[in-house]
Amino acid sequence: MAFYLLYKAARRDFTYHLPLEGVLGLTVSGLMRATVKFVVDFAAIIQFRHPYDVGGLYFSLNMFLPLLGLTFLLGMDLVAENLSESTSKLLTSLVMILGGSLLILVGVFLSLMNKEYHHTFFSVETGGQLLRRLFLDGDDLSKAQVFKKHKSLWAPIRDKVAVWVKEGWASWEEEKPDWFTDKWKASVPEHMKPVKKTGDIDDGDKTADENEGQETLIVGGGEEQKGRRRSVLEVISGQKSASSKVMPAGGEAKKEIEIDAEDFVREMNRRGSINM
């Protein structure tokens, strides 16, 4: 077990692929490495040959380690002459039978399986190397899986990951691929997300200002119309002097509208005589 853990640490493959940080991540990594190694030693589950676990070549060699250990101990006893002649022959025959049987079973197993998976039993690829290869050679779906793994596995290509995210974010927002979910967005580091364009914000503010200006113009026009109507009524009722000036609402007037009272009354009388 100690040799296996040192082997993983020497290859910078000790950290487990789960995206856990700090003390929790270190604890889970140590626990998972020890658990998987224990299961492989006693059950030889072939799925654990995956690079995220023990790895292909280590898994294959691990199947022969018990036999190699037995052979080594038998040789030491034979050299030290600690065993009788009959016991030595029995143990030697047993080691040869076990070794031969194991080789035959492995050969039959490899001959019956799909040949495209043969290399997985001799691969020395680590979990980080696998993840980086899938990112560099895969499609967007394969690349998107990078944020589901521990960041130390893809740290050597973090710049390429950031470029991929920033260049593709806008198109993903439009196309909405299945993997582009809110959960996936939350897993992306903030410094890798594209910055929102200031032009979009200015356009929004500009639209709001224009709408507000239109509303002000409408309201101002109403106030101006009310001011004009009030001035005419005042002229008719005699509450205003002979000359009345109407000034549009909203600060400084650009143009004054002047109404002469006598001209107004004369015009009203003329229109009345025409209607009659």
Side-chain angles (χ1 to χ4, degrees):
M1 181 66 72
F3 173 79
Y4 170 72
L5 296 178
L6 290 174
Y7 167 79
K8 282 292 186 181
R11 301 205 63 196
R12 298 182 179 180
D13 195 33
F14 179 80
T15 303
Y16 205 59
H17 63 87
L18 296 178
L20 302 175
E21 303 295 336
V23 177
L24 178 61
L26 183 61
T27 303
V28 171
S29 295
L31 181 62
M32 291 302 301
R33 293 303 184 194
T35 302
V36 171
K37 179 64 167 62
F38 182 83
V39 173
V40 169
D41 286 344
F42 290 92
I45 299 177
I46 61 174
Q47 284 77 8
F48 285 142
R49 75 186 189 281
H50 196 281
Y52 288 148
D53 295 309
V54 298
L57 182 61
Y58 191 95
F59 177 88
S60 299
L61 294 177
N62 192 73
M63 297 179 62
F64 291 91
L65 285 179
L67 181 61
L68 294 175
L70 179 60
T71 303
F72 177 75
L73 293 176
L74 177 60
M76 291 183 63
D77 288 334
L78 292 176
V79 171
E81 297 181 353
N82 294 331
L83 301 176
S84 62
E85 185 177 353
S86 58
T87 303
S88 299
K89 290 182 179 181
L90 177 62
L91 292 177
T92 302
S93 300
L94 181 62
V95 169
M96 294 179 65
I97 292 173
L98 291 175
S101 300
L102 181 59
L103 290 174
I104 294 174
L105 290 175
V106 170
V108 172
F109 174 75
L110 292 176
S111 64
L112 294 177
M113 73 177 299
N114 194 328
K115 292 183 179 180
E116 67 182 45
Y117 295 113
H118 283 176
H119 73 280
T120 62
F121 288 88
F122 309 100
S123 173
V124 294
E125 191 174 42
T126 65
Q129 292 170 347
L130 171 65
L131 183 63
R132 295 191 290 273
R133 176 171 61 83
L134 292 177
F135 179 87
L136 297 175
D137 300 337
D139 55 10
D140 284 344
L141 178 59
S142 299
K143 295 177 187 293
Q145 308 306 311
V146 71
F147 296 113
K148 295 182 179 180
K149 306 302 180 183
H150 196 276
K151 64 181 182 180
S152 64
L153 301 184
W154 50 271
I157 59 170
R158 62 168 63 91
D159 294 339
K160 295 182 179 180
V161 174
V163 171
W164 170 72
V165 171
K166 292 180 179 179
E167 290 182 350
W169 194 279
S171 61
W172 301 332
E173 288 284 5
E174 296 178 359
E175 299 172 2
K176 302 294 183 184
D178 294 337
W179 53 267
F180 192 65
T181 61
D182 292 338
K183 183 178 180 180
W184 185 87
K185 295 178 185 178
S187 66
V188 179
E190 290 297 328
H191 69 276
M192 290 188 178
K193 296 179 181 179
V195 180
K196 189 174 182 181
K197 295 181 180 179
T198 55
D200 296 340
I201 300 177
D202 295 341
D203 291 342
D205 294 342
K206 182 178 180 181
T207 302
D209 293 341
E210 289 177 352
N211 293 336
E212 183 178 354
Q214 292 176 358
E215 293 177 358
T216 305
L217 179 59
I218 294 173
V219 173
E223 294 291 337
E224 182 177 345
Q225 295 295 332
K226 291 179 181 180
R228 293 179 179 178
R229 189 179 298 111
R230 185 168 52 251
S231 299
V232 172
L233 293 176
E234 289 176 354
V235 170
I236 296 174
S237 60
Q239 295 178 0
K240 198 170 183 65
S241 60
S243 178
S244 174
K245 296 181 180 180
V246 178
M247 185 176 295
E252 297 181 358
K254 294 183 179 179
K255 182 178 181 180
E256 294 183 351
I257 302 175
E258 185 174 345
I259 300 176
D260 186 270
E262 295 180 357
D263 292 340
F264 177 77
V265 173
R266 188 181 303 109
E267 181 64 21
M268 292 297 292
N269 292 334
R270 186 182 66 80
R271 291 186 181 185
S273 60
I274 293 174
N275 293 332
M276 292 178 61

